[in-house]
């Protein structure tokens, strides 16, 4: 194009360059008169003047004298922002001037051409000429022109750096690199180190990342910021691992006091168990403060729920502890021998010395034993059980109302009510509702019985030591039908095996042998179904070869029911492993079998294996999405969700949106939209904007997927945009869209302030109590009620850890939960996404001392909702009789005559039998001394005034005395005793008081502030440092004692465990 322009300019008609025409001289003179005198070299250009036209300056570009052309270029550069429309007509002349290799001011012509193309909206051409302008393109300017082209340059450089190294070398433009280098220098000069870190991560410049951190004054703050944005700005898993390695090295070398908490977080995502174990061993063998820090790191690692990694760290800690203990024992033995040689005459001394040496070893390994109990999950699980049991606020009366509203013949709503009870008491160990309603519960048959038995696993989740004993009545004794009793129903036994998996989820070392034996000892498909689900949960993410072999054996029996569970179980077992050979085995079997249930189970399982693998899972995803079977394409959409969970990857989002609007299968489109929630779960505010148009789709399956995507992505946030998007779908014309909207709204609003939650609770109860409500909508309302009040109103849905990275168990369980659409028993997986909203403070012995934190907000803002009372729903179900106005008047007249007659005869002492209503207050007056006639004006007025005064000033006394009480103002803060309920929204108001005896030993993850307490942890497990170690410590008394106490009804002395 440039060569054609140059030819066009050379061939343009006009006077000869050797003899310029008179008209040209006149235009030049006019331009010089308007623009001012020419500036000589080294003399600054004059300020641009307002002019009506740039025609004169444009004509000077055709002059032969270089000075005139230079003057024209400079003047046009100054006025191009206001006269770009005129200048654009001469852009070919300007381009030709740049193309002229003998022209001395080519860079100035390139700058002018860049500005013209910028105003024309041709940013690619504008950037091209800006690069050719060299040093004249000043990156330090703050004009829109410079800022826009800088952003364009950085985008082009990002695309270049994303290519393979071989292609980078061929396509690299030194001028583009120079622009980016100057941009970095500008950031360093202006002190914008965070901006430099962001550009370095986006452009994949590890050298500039390191330089940005080292040149910043606050190295710790810069490292914390880099760690935080690494997961959002870096879309490539391979490059993210390189960044994490650089950050670990900087944490080690640049910090005066290394941030071991952040280092271990980075090493965990690098899967470097050796270095994590080395750091923890060093800390646990150090001072008391270092031991406390090792405990806090242990809790932080446990929160991410990567079981296979934690198991490896625990093994290496055990090995290191054994070496240390052996060395200590050897040293003690040598000391004992020396003492024995010196004191041969005293026979009792050697024994005492041996006892001292033996006692020395456990003392040294004490901190290590406590740290290993944290990493294994034994201590955190017990602490969560203690908290959920002691703070259980589940409303049993609400459950009774739901049970009463559900028709006994409706098995769908019956099963939903059993699920609601399980979720409301998840982890609390309180099964009072089941014990009190055994007859109602016994109506469940077949798969409903399977689900009801599995619900016990949700209620007793975390009872690792007592789990098998709790489920004993539902399992065969001694592995056979003998042993003093009949073998239970296969549905009961299968549900019990599933329940054991829910109890031991992510902590299944102790139960795996029993589950393996159960799966091998029976050929019943229902029992194998429960065993496969239990095995997958117990061995989640471990890749156990023995378990995989057994489940693949069950899959090849080609039983539809058992095969579906085997496919899901293998996916749970291999979650995050992405083994190509095993994936291909499962995929090949999918293409051979004719059972849709098996294909669906295997497709979901394949999606789980891709968890967190990002681009490594691309071959599997591509193969599944291109398959002709819609069920396998359905699994491909879920594989995209699992592989890119929490990354916000643009290519993954584009792919899912394309499938959502182009696939011929409604199921695939629904899965594609729903998967967007997983990809965007790290940035909840983006999801409502992305799926906003899809939520208005004509296709109900797409609308359902949009609702679930918002529920998954914004779970536990209470985001206003999410609520606004879900509100219209609550009244959708299609029943299953209403169901999805109700469940999604419950997921968004869980653990929110009751002020915001009360209208939604009322809507749920209206759906449940309405006898004419559609079954699917009523089922969704019952499930939503269980999610809103989950865990005794003490848990939220947490797909991400406090570090910002996804929690594997929660994400995998949420993905399986969405399959309740096809198989209802999978709905119990949602319980594994729950995270207790607790502040649990622990001292150096990992016990809970008596201490407190202060919540600097009104107590009612985050208080439990008021319990349902009997009177609230007393007359709810009674039919209202229609009474004619004439009948009412006649009855009132008769009552008035009767009352006057009684008054004439002396009246009646005390109140009449029927309780009467005050005309002013509108409330029942009970316990009055004298009977009050409603139709008597004077007494009625007096009673009304008294009632109004009672309502305004206080409560009416039960003995008839009306004592006004002034309502005290609500306090502005509240003291929370350890352990305490602290919701995510409340966390920013909670802080430790000045002068507290116990203070946190570490700040939040990566040093990022987690609340108003200056970066101190105020939610979750918080290891505390004692500022006055010499004083005695009073510990919190545990309320959950053994199985009998664990099974009680909220501390009320319930019946013993089964």
């Amino acid at each position: 194009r440039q060569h054609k322009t140059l030819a066009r300019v050379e061939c343009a008609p006009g006077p000869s360059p050797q003899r310029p025409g008179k008209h040209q001289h006149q235009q030049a003179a006019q331009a010089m008169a308007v623009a001012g005198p020419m500036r000589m070299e080294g003399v600054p250009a004059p300020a641009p003047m307002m002019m009506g036209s740039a025609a004169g300056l444009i004509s000077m570009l055709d002059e032969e004298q270089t000075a005139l052309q230079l003057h024209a270029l400079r003047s046009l550069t100054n006025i191009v922002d206001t006269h770009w429309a005129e200048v654009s007509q001469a852009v070919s002349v300007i381009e030709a001037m740049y193309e002229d290799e003998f022209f001395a001011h080519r860079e100035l012509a390139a700058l002018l051409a860049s500005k013209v193309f910028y105003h024309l909206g041709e940013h690619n051409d504008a950037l091209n000429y800006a690069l050719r302008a060299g040093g004249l393109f000043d990156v330090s300017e703050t004009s829109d022109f410079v800022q826009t082209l800088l952003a364009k340059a950085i985008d082009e450089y990002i695309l270049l750096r994303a290519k393979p190294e071989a292609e980078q070398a061929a396509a690299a433009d030194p001028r583009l690199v120079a622009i980016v280098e100057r941009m970095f220098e500008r950031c360093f000069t202006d002190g914008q180190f965070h901006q430099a870190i962001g550009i370095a991560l986006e452009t994949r410049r590890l050298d500039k990342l390191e330089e940005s951190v080292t040149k910043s004054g606050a190295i710790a703050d810069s490292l914390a910021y880099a760690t935080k944005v690494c997961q959002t700005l870096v879309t490539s898993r391979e490059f993210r691992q390189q960044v994490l390695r650089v950050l670990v090295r900087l944490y080690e070398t640049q910090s005066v006091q290394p941030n071991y908490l952040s280092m271990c977080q980075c090493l965990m995502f690098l899967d470097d168990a050796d270095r994590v174990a080395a750091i923890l061993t060093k800390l646990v063998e150090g001072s008391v403060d270092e031991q406390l820090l090792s405990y806090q790191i242990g809790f932080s690692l446990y929160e991410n729920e990567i079981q296979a990694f934690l198991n490896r760290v625990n093994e290496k800690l055990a090995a290191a502890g054994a070496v240390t203990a052996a060395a200590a024992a050897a040293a003690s033995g040598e000391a004992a021998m020396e003492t024995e040689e010196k004191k041969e005459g005293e026979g009792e001394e050697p024994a005492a010395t041996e006892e001292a040496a033996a006692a020395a070893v456990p003392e040294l390994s004490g901190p290590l034993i406590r740290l290993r109990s944290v990493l294994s999950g034994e201590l955190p699980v017990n602490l969560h059980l203690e908290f959920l049991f002691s703070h259980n606020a589940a409303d049993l009366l609400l459950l009774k109302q739901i049970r009463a509203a559900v028709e006994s013949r409706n098995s769908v709503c019956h099963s939903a009510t059993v699920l609601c009870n399980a979720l409301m008491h998840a982890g609390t160990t309180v099964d009072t509702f089941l014990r009190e309603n055994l007859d109602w519960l016994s109506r469940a048959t077949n798969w409903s019985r399977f689900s009801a038995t599995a619900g016990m696993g949700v209620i007793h989740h975390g009872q690792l030591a007592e789990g098998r004993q709790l489920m004993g009545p539902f399992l065969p004794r001694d592995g056979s039908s003998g042993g003093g009793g009949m073998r239970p129903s296969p549905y009961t036994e299968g549900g019990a095996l599933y329940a054991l998996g829910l109890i031991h989820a992510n902590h299944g070392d102790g139960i795996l042998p029993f589950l393996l034996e159960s799966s091998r000892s029976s050929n019943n498909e229902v029992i194998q179904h429960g065993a496969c689900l239990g095995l997958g949960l117990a061995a989640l993410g471990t890749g156990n070869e023995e378990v995989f072999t057994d489940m693949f054996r069950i899959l090849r029996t080609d039983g539809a029911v058992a095969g579906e569970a085997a496919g899901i179980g293998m996916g749970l077992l291999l979650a995050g492993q992405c083994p190509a050979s095993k994936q291909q085995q499962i995929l090949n079997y999918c293409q051979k079998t004719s059972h849709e249930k098996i294909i669906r189970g295997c497709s979901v399982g394949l999606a789980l294996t891709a968890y967190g693998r990002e681009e490594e899972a691309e071959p599997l995803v591509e193969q599944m999405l291109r398959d002709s079977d819609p069920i396998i394409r359905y699994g491909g959409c879920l594989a995209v969700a699992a592989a890119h969970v929490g990354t916000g990857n643009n290519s993954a989002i584009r792919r899912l949106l394309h499938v959502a609007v182009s696939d011929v299968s409604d199921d695939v489109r629904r899965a594609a939209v729903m998967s967007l929630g997983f990809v965007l779960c790290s940035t909840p505010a983006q999801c409502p904007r992305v799926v906003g148009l899809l939520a208005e789709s004509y296709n109900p399956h797409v609308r359902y997927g949009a609702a679930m995507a918002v529920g998954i992505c914004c779970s536990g946030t209470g985001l206003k945009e999410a609520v606004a998007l879900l509100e219209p779908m609550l009244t959708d014309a299609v029943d299953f869209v209403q169901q999805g909207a109700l469940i999604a709204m419950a997921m968004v609003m869980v653990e929110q302030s009751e002020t915001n939650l009360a209208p939604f609770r009322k809507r749920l109860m209206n759906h449940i109590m309405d006898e004419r409500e559609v079954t699917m909508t009523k089922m969704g309302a019952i499930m939503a009620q269980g999610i809103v009040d989950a865990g005794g109103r003490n848990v939220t849905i947490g797909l991400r850890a406090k570090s910002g990275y996804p929690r594997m168990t929660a994400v995998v369980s949420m993905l399986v939960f969405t399959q309740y659409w096809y198989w209802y028993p999978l709905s119990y997986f949602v319980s594994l996404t729950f995270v207790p909203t607790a502040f649990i403070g622990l001292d150096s012995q990992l016990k809970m001392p008596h201490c407190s934190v202060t919540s600097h907000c009104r107590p009612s803002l985050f208080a439990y909702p008021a319990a349902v009372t009997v009177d609230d729903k007393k007359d709810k179900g009674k039919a209202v009789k229609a009474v004619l106005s004439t009948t009412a008047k006649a009855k009132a007249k008769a009552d008035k005559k009767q009352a006057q007659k009684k008054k004439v005869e002396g009246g009646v002492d005390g109140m009449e039998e029927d309780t009467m209503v005050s005309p002013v207050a509108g409330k029942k007056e009970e316990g009055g001394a004298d009977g009050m006639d409603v139709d008597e004006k004077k007494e009625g007025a007096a009673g009304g005034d008294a009632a109004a005064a009672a309502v305004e000033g206080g409560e009416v006394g039960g003995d008839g005395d009306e004592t006004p009480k002034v309502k005290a103002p609500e306090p502005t803060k509240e003291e929370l005793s350890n352990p305490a309920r602290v919701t995510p929204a409340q966390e920013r108001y909670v802080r430790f008081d000045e002068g507290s005896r116990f203070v946190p030993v570490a700040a939040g993850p990566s040093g990022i502030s987690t609340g108003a307490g200056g970066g101190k942890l105020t939610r979750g497990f918080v290891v505390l440092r004692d500022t006055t170690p010499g004083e005695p410590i009073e510990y919190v008394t545990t309320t959950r004692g053994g199985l009998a106490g664990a099974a009680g009804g909220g501390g009320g002395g319930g019946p013993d465990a089964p």
Side-chain angles (χ1 to χ4, degrees), residues 164-506:
E165 292 185 5
E167 296 182 20
Q168 285 184 32
D173 187 343
R175 295 169 298 188
L176 181 62
V177 177
I179 289 278
V180 176
E181 293 285 348
R182 282 155 55 194
M183 187 64 196
F184 277 115
E185 292 300 326
R186 175 189 166 188
C187 290
F188 297 154
T189 304
D190 296 344
Q192 300 290 337
F193 294 104
H194 283 186
Q195 185 177 358
I197 289 172
I199 297 174
L201 289 174
E202 287 193 288
T203 57
R204 303 192 179 194
R205 291 289 300 272
L206 294 178
D207 56 333
K208 290 299 179 182
L209 171 64
E210 194 166 347
E211 186 178 354
S212 302
V213 171
T214 53
K215 284 188 175 181
S216 66
I219 293 179
D221 183 51
S222 297
L223 284 172
Y225 178 78
T227 306
K228 179 183 177 183
V229 300
C230 174
Q231 58 184 311
T232 55
L233 293 181
V234 182
T235 57
S236 168
R237 184 171 183 266
E238 181 182 356
F239 179 66
R240 189 185 303 117
Q241 290 182 340
Q242 296 177 17
V243 173
L244 291 174
R245 290 190 186 95
V246 171
L247 292 176
V248 169
R249 178 161 51 81
L250 292 174
Y251 273 122
E252 291 176 339
T253 58
Q254 296 297 328
S255 302
V256 178
Q257 178 64 35
N259 189 335
Y260 291 114
L261 182 59
S262 299
M263 282 174 59
C264 289
Q265 286 277 4
C266 295
L267 290 171
M268 178 182 65
F269 296 114
L270 290 171
D271 201 28
D272 193 345
D274 292 332
R275 294 183 67 183
V276 171
I279 291 173
L280 292 177
T281 302
K282 175 184 174 183
L283 292 175
V284 83
E285 294 176 355
S287 62
V288 174
D289 284 350
E290 289 178 334
Q291 291 176 5
L292 294 176
L293 182 59
S294 71
Y295 300 152
Q296 188 65 68
I297 293 172
F299 282 117
S300 180
L301 296 178
Y302 168 78
E303 186 188 12
N304 291 277
E305 298 181 342
I306 305 178
Q307 183 180 355
F309 177 81
L310 294 178
N311 289 344
R312 293 203 306 273
V313 174
N314 234 344
E315 291 172 3
K316 295 182 184 302
L317 283 176
V323 172
T324 304
S332 300
E334 291 177 2
M337 289 178 65
E338 291 177 2
T339 306
E340 186 178 356
E341 290 175 358
K342 290 180 181 178
K343 302 182 178 181
E344 291 180 353
E346 302 177 6
E348 69 279 4
E349 287 299 323
T353 307
E354 290 172 6
E355 292 175 3
V361 176
E363 184 179 353
L364 291 173
S365 60
L368 184 60
I369 292 173
R370 288 192 286 270
L371 177 59
R372 293 191 67 218
S373 71
V374 172
L375 293 173
S376 66
E378 178 186 353
L379 180 64
V381 165
N382 286 333
L383 290 171
H384 277 158
L385 281 172
E386 170 62 30
F387 168 77
L388 292 174
F389 177 74
S390 61
H391 288 71
N392 177 29
D395 196 340
L396 289 176
L397 190 56
L398 180 64
L399 273 172
K400 291 178 181 178
Q401 291 177 358
I402 295 173
R403 186 207 65 187
V406 171
E407 294 182 15
S408 59
R409 292 174 293 178
N410 192 331
S411 63
V412 174
C413 293
H414 183 281
S415 297
T417 306
V418 175
L419 171 67
C420 178
N421 168 65
L423 296 182
M424 288 176 69
H425 293 94
T428 62
T429 71
V430 177
D431 52 13
T432 307
F433 177 78
L434 299 178
R435 296 175 183 277
E436 293 178 352
N437 298 276
L438 291 176
D439 292 339
W440 174 81
L441 193 63
S442 64
R443 297 172 188 168
T445 58
N446 299 336
W447 287 108
S448 296
R449 177 171 294 184
F450 178 93
S451 299
T453 311
M456 293 287 290
V458 175
I459 295 173
H460 295 285
H461 171 67
Q463 295 222 59
L464 306 180
E466 305 91 353
R468 189 170 171 185
Q469 182 180 348
L470 285 166
M471 302 309 299
F474 311 108
L475 295 168
R477 294 182 176 89
D478 299 327
S480 64
S481 59
M486 295 178 62
R487 189 178 186 121
S489 162
Y491 295 96
T492 303
E493 185 176 344
L497 296 175
Y498 180 18
L500 285 174
L502 292 168
I503 291 173
H504 294 82
N506 221 21

Side-chain angles (χ1 to χ4, degrees), residues 668-687:
V668 178
R669 297 178 69 179
R670 184 180 70 248
V673 180
M674 193 163 52
S675 298
L676 290 169
F678 290 97
V679 178
L680 294 169
C681 71
S682 290
T683 52
Q686 290 186 9
C687 189

Side-chain angles (χ1 to χ4, degrees), residues 757-888:
L757 196 52
F760 181 60
R761 287 185 184 277
K762 185 177 180 182
R763 178 189 288 271
L764 290 178
M765 291 308 297
N766 289 339
H767 283 299
I768 295 170
M769 296 298 176
D770 188 356
E771 295 179 356
R772 295 168 294 178
E773 188 59 86
V774 183
T775 299
M776 291 193 72
T777 304
K778 182 175 286 192
M779 169 190 168
I782 297 172
M783 292 174 67
Q785 186 69 60
I787 293 173
V788 165
D789 290 338
R793 295 171 174 167
N794 290 304
V795 299
T796 187
I797 295 176
L799 297 184
R800 291 184 299 146
K802 287 196 287 290
S803 62
Y805 287 88
R807 296 171 56 236
M808 187 175 75
T809 304
V811 172
V812 166
S813 301
M814 180 62 77
L815 196 144
V816 178
F817 163 71
T818 59
Q819 307 312 303
Y820 82 90
W821 177 283
Y822 302 102
W823 190 234
Y824 180 73
L826 298 179
S827 56
Y828 288 93
F829 270 81
V830 73
S831 65
L832 300 179
T833 67
F834 295 157
V835 179
T837 52
F839 161 77
I840 301 176
L842 303 165
D843 68 348
S844 59
Q845 301 299 314
L846 295 185
K847 297 180 181 179
M848 293 184 289
H850 274 293
C851 63
S852 63
V853 291
T854 303
S855 175
H856 292 264
C857 61
R858 294 180 290 107
S860 62
L861 192 59
F862 300 104
Y864 291 111
V868 176
T869 58
V870 178
D871 293 334
D872 288 346
K873 306 292 179 180
K874 183 175 181 181
D875 300 323
K876 185 72 176 178
K878 293 183 179 179
V880 180
K881 290 184 178 181
V883 181
L884 296 175
S885 58
T886 54
T887 306

Side-chain angles (χ1 to χ4, degrees), residues 820-1012:
Y820 82 90
W821 177 283
Y822 302 102
W823 190 234
Y824 180 73
L826 298 179
S827 56
Y828 288 93
F829 270 81
V830 73
S831 65
L832 300 179
T833 67
F834 295 157
V835 179
T837 52
F839 161 77
I840 301 176
L842 303 165
D843 68 348
S844 59
Q845 301 299 314
L846 295 185
K847 297 180 181 179
M848 293 184 289
H850 274 293
C851 63
S852 63
V853 291
T854 303
S855 175
H856 292 264
C857 61
R858 294 180 290 107
S860 62
L861 192 59
F862 300 104
Y864 291 111
V868 176
T869 58
V870 178
D871 293 334
D872 288 346
K873 306 292 179 180
K874 183 175 181 181
D875 300 323
K876 185 72 176 178
K878 293 183 179 179
V880 180
K881 290 184 178 181
V883 181
L884 296 175
S885 58
T886 54
T887 306
K889 288 179 181 179
K891 186 175 184 302
K893 190 174 182 181
D895 290 342
K896 183 177 180 180
K897 288 183 179 180
Q898 183 70 17
Q900 288 176 347
K901 182 179 179 181
K902 287 184 178 180
K903 189 172 183 180
V904 171
E905 294 175 356
V908 181
D909 292 337
M911 259 187 115
E912 295 186 12
E913 184 177 351
D914 293 328
T915 309
M916 286 171 284
V917 181
S918 168
V920 177
K923 295 185 178 182
K924 293 184 179 181
E925 303 277 350
E926 297 180 359
D930 297 326
M932 184 177 69
D933 197 325
V934 176
D935 296 318
E936 290 277 317
K937 289 185 179 180
K938 290 184 180 181
E939 294 187 20
D945 293 340
V951 171
E952 186 176 344
E955 297 179 353
V956 179
D959 57 353
D961 296 335
E962 298 168 359
T963 308
K965 295 181 181 179
V966 178
K967 186 178 181 180
E970 186 177 5
T972 57
K973 60 182 181 179
E974 179 185 15
E975 186 175 342
L976 305 175
S977 299
N978 182 34
R981 174 181 183 256
V982 177
T983 67
Q986 185 182 6
E987 185 178 3
R988 56 187 173 141
Y989 300 107
V990 178
R991 64 183 67 128
F992 285 82
D993 293 332
E994 293 292 335
S996 297
R997 177 181 177 183
F998 293 96
V999 295
V1001 71
S1006 301
I1008 303 298
S1009 177
T1010 57

